[in-house]
Amino acid sequence: MAKAAESSGDPGTTTPRPLMRDLKAVGKKFMHVLYPRKSNTLLRDWDLWGPLILCVTLALMLQRSSVDSEKDGGPQFAEVFVIVWFGAVTITLNSKLLGGNISFFQSLCVLGYCILPLTVAMLVCRLVLLAEPGPVNFMVRLFVVIVMFAWSIVASTAFLADSQPPNRKALAIYPVFLFYFVISWMILTFTPQ
Amino acid sequence: MAAVDDLQFEEFGDAATSPAANPGATTIHIEGPSESPTHQPGLPRGSGGEEDDELLGNDDSDKTELLAGQKKSSPFWTFEYYQTFFDVDTYQVFDRIKGSLLPIPGKNFVRLYIRSNPDLYGPFWICATLVFAIAISGNLSNFLIHLGEKTYHYVPEFRKVSIAATIIYAYAWLVPLALWGFLMWRNSKVMNIVSYSFLEIVCVYGYSLFIYIPTAVLWVIPQKAVRWILVMIALGISGSVLAMTFWPAVREDNRRIALATIVTIVLLHTLLSVGCLFSFLFFGVWFFRPWHLLQESRMTKPAGKLMGWHHPLASKRGHTEV
């Protein structure tokens, strides 16, 4: 990872244990996603731990219980995983083919971290679903998912837009929109058994 | 990654330099016929100044043939080769979409909009959007029908998305392949003035599918008549774009073969539209029912026979049947 390479040749300062340092880096990036501004932190010091944690959390929460595998229902753990990573790779390839100036893993990093608002939405939805079902329940979940979806889009656009050629920004951003829209749909339509 | 092709006037320097550091560096780079990236997007890129040919839809000038030949010069195992297929700007994609929505007799879609710059961006993402549009609105319409029923348990049909995706992508790639092969074969027998490359055909087919996206969203309306009218409209528009594109390519040929080709194209497109409608209705067929009902209906009906499906609550509501 980028940070490990940087500080390995740095004997003068006292470095904390690598695990703590990595966790701090991941936490710092979470903060950057929650308060998106145009900064290069996510791009320069990319790592894939954050996206992995988020993806695993989301997939765990979205999977249906194994009892009712007969009824074709929600996604399994592996399906969510595949969708997120396959979608992120496709978007990255698309932006590179359009002439974007971002590296493969940087783009994966940004897309993965910007799933954070949607993971938060999933947690909130699960909590709301513990209450009694009804239209109010649905409205609350719809509102939360819409807000978090917009947040994800804004966060990823803030990080990715600069790396695209100016005539093609919309072409590169549209797949991101589609990607988060599909994930938001999966979150919104999640119903526990 | 900087493209080495000298037609690319947008240069961002090396991959090592960060994008924020040198936004002005692109204007320093001097290319041949290109303009700086801050130029207004009015002029077409890559095909020279052919604005005067636009209304007449003439054949390509020598310049574009030369440019088309130059564009594909990278070997196919390099990344740059594939970048040439994504060499479109936002306004070009919008123009092509607009062209697919408004078929005007006499204006050939390929000549007018693609102009030797076929792209794969449009076909790929239009197909992807169409797959998800059908899946999501199919799910949604089924959900809205059964809103408020106590026994109804909503399930998002996930596996069916992959089936729909396979069908739509197969159509968007295999039919152009077959058509291109057929046209090449006829070209060897009859000298045609107009001939299309494989990618141009893929492009036409991809953009002609755009009309089905708003159609799929509107299919949420649960009236049978509305849905069929929408199918007819979509089929009419995209079918006529295809027919008008391919008529010049087969016009020189034997009358019967030319007509048969056009009829086959339209027929296949009809099959696709009806297939889209059926797969839309397919989403949400298998919803939760009491277990014994599920078992018995599973034995009597395979997935394809939607016409014979009986909704157990159909008597209560104006249920949608095809």
Side-chain angles (χ1 to χ4, degrees):
Chain A
M1 287 193 341
K3 289 213 83 151
E6 256 166 51
S7 51
S8 58
D10 189 10
T13 60
T14 51
T15 54
R17 287 191 325 241
L19 177 64
M20 285 310 298
R21 185 189 56 222
D22 289 345
L23 281 179
K24 279 194 187 147
V26 169
K28 194 163 146 216
K29 293 201 190 72
F30 280 168
M31 284 298 120
H32 271 279
V33 171
L34 287 179
Y35 302 107
R37 326 175 271 283
K38 283 195 200 289
S39 85
N40 281 338
T41 309
L42 266 190
L43 289 180
R44 265 203 310 266
D45 306 326
W46 60 266
D47 72 271
L48 292 179
W49 289 113
L52 186 66
I53 296 171
L54 288 172
C55 188
V56 166
T57 315
L58 196 61
L60 279 174
M61 287 196 285
L62 268 177
Q63 64 170 347
R64 62 175 187 261
S65 62
S66 52
V67 174
D68 57 1
S69 55
E70 290 296 329
K71 306 177 198 105
D72 185 27
Q76 290 280 24
F77 179 89
E79 287 171 4
V80 176
F81 219 80
V82 161
I83 285 180
V84 169
W85 289 100
F86 187 69
V89 165
T90 308
I91 296 175
T92 307
L93 276 179
N94 177 67
S95 82
K96 284 188 78 68
L97 284 169
L98 283 172
N101 198 15
I102 193 170
S103 93
F104 185 76
F105 287 108
Q106 282 174 345
S107 174
L108 280 187
C109 170
V110 169
L111 289 168
Y113 270 103
C114 290
I115 294 186
L116 175 66
L118 288 171
T119 312
V120 169
M122 183 77 228
L123 279 165
V124 170
C125 282
R126 277 220 105 148
L127 290 173
V128 170
L129 279 169
L130 292 174
E132 151 199 336
V136 172
N137 192 308
F138 179 73
M139 284 294 143
V140 168
R141 283 187 291 139
L142 181 67
F143 177 72
V144 168
V145 170
I146 288 180
V147 166
M148 292 301 172
F149 166 67
W151 203 332
S152 283
I153 299 274
V154 165
S156 58
T157 308
F159 292 117
L160 287 177
D162 282 337
S163 65
Q164 302 300 325
N167 297 350
R168 301 179 181 184
K169 283 203 191 346
L171 296 185
I173 296 293
Y174 170 72
V176 178
F177 171 87
L178 189 63
F179 176 62
Y180 288 131
F181 186 80
V182 170
I183 296 183
S184 313
W185 179 258
M186 290 199 298
I187 291 174
L188 183 62
T189 59
F190 173 78
T191 47
Q193 299 307 319
Chain B
M1 178 182 297
V4 297
D5 195 334
D6 62 357
L7 290 177
Q8 286 273 43
F9 63 76
E10 287 155 294
E11 288 285 325
F12 285 90
D14 305 322
T17 57
S18 83
N22 52 351
T26 52
T27 56
I28 297 173
H29 213 98
I30 299 174
E31 302 289 42
S34 59
E35 300 89 354
S36 77
T38 54
H39 202 281
Q40 69 275 14
L43 290 180
R45 290 181 57 249
S47 34
E50 276 194 41
E51 288 295 276
D52 46 357
D53 280 351
E54 188 177 330
L55 290 174
L56 300 175
N58 284 345
D59 293 5
D60 292 333
S61 67
D62 288 340
K63 202 172 181 185
T64 52
E65 286 305 309
L66 202 61
L67 291 172
Q70 276 181 1
K71 268 198 322 185
K72 315 256 190 288
S73 58
S74 310
F76 69 89
W77 55 82
T78 59
F79 193 71
E80 280 79 20
Y81 176 75
Y82 296 103
Q83 267 189 324
T84 58
F85 302 141
F86 282 77
D87 194 16
V88 279
D89 292 335
T90 310
Y91 77 93
Q92 283 178 319
V93 172
F94 281 153
D95 277 345
R96 291 174 188 193
I97 290 177
K98 218 170 31 158
S100 78
L101 291 176
L102 303 167
I104 303 175
K107 286 201 184 174
N108 186 331
F109 182 78
V110 174
R111 285 290 157 261
L112 197 53
Y113 292 106
I114 300 191
R115 301 158 75 77
S116 293
N117 187 21
D119 68 303
L120 288 180
Y121 178 91
F124 182 79
W125 287 109
I126 289 176
C127 287
T129 312
L130 182 60
V131 168
F132 287 118
I134 291 182
I136 290 179
S137 60
N139 231 246
L140 185 63
S141 99
N142 193 56
F143 174 75
L144 288 176
I145 289 170
H146 304 300
L147 199 59
E149 288 169 19
K150 286 280 188 287
T151 55
Y152 174 67
H153 180 90
Y154 173 82
V155 285
E157 271 90 2
F158 209 64
R159 300 254 160 76
K160 295 178 185 174
V161 177
S162 41
I163 299 175
T166 311
I167 294 175
I168 288 176
Y169 273 100
Y171 178 83
W173 282 89
L174 295 181
V175 172
L177 186 65
L179 188 59
W180 175 74
F182 175 75
L183 287 178
M184 286 292 119
W185 174 62
R186 291 312 300 174
N187 251 354
S188 67
K189 304 237 168 135
V190 174
M191 198 55 218
N192 275 330
I193 295 180
V194 174
S195 71
Y196 299 128
S197 72
F198 172 61
L199 282 170
E200 286 172 348
I201 301 182
V202 169
C203 223
V204 175
Y205 265 86
Y207 280 103
S208 71
L209 287 178
F210 180 81
I211 183 71
Y212 289 101
I213 297 175
T215 310
V217 172
L218 286 175
W219 274 339
V220 175
I221 302 172
Q223 299 301 321
K224 186 165 59 165
V226 169
R227 286 180 179 172
W228 278 107
I229 290 176
L230 285 170
V231 171
M232 292 297 147
I233 294 176
L235 182 60
I237 292 179
S238 59
S240 56
V241 168
L242 288 178
M244 283 195 290
T245 303
F246 289 107
W247 179 245
V250 295
R251 189 169 43 194
E252 317 288 321
D253 208 340
N254 183 347
R255 196 81 185 166
R256 274 189 288 173
I257 294 188
L259 279 175
T261 312
I262 299 291
V263 165
T264 312
I265 291 174
V266 174
L267 209 62
L268 282 172
H269 215 65
T270 314
L271 272 178
L272 178 84
S273 334
V274 175
C276 280
L277 179 58
F278 277 171
S279 67
F280 169 85
L281 295 169
F282 193 43
F283 279 93
V285 165
W286 294 108
F287 57 89
F288 177 79
R289 285 184 272 180
W291 188 243
H292 62 278
L293 278 182
L294 194 67
Q295 288 291 69
E296 116 187 69
S297 61
R298 204 176 260 195
M299 284 188 270
T300 53
K301 140 174 102 58
K305 292 209 164 80
L306 286 171
M307 301 287 272
W309 179 58
H310 291 295
H311 186 335
L313 302 169
S315 54
K316 284 193 195 168
R317 300 176 167 254
H319 175 63
T320 58
E321 282 175 353
V322 179

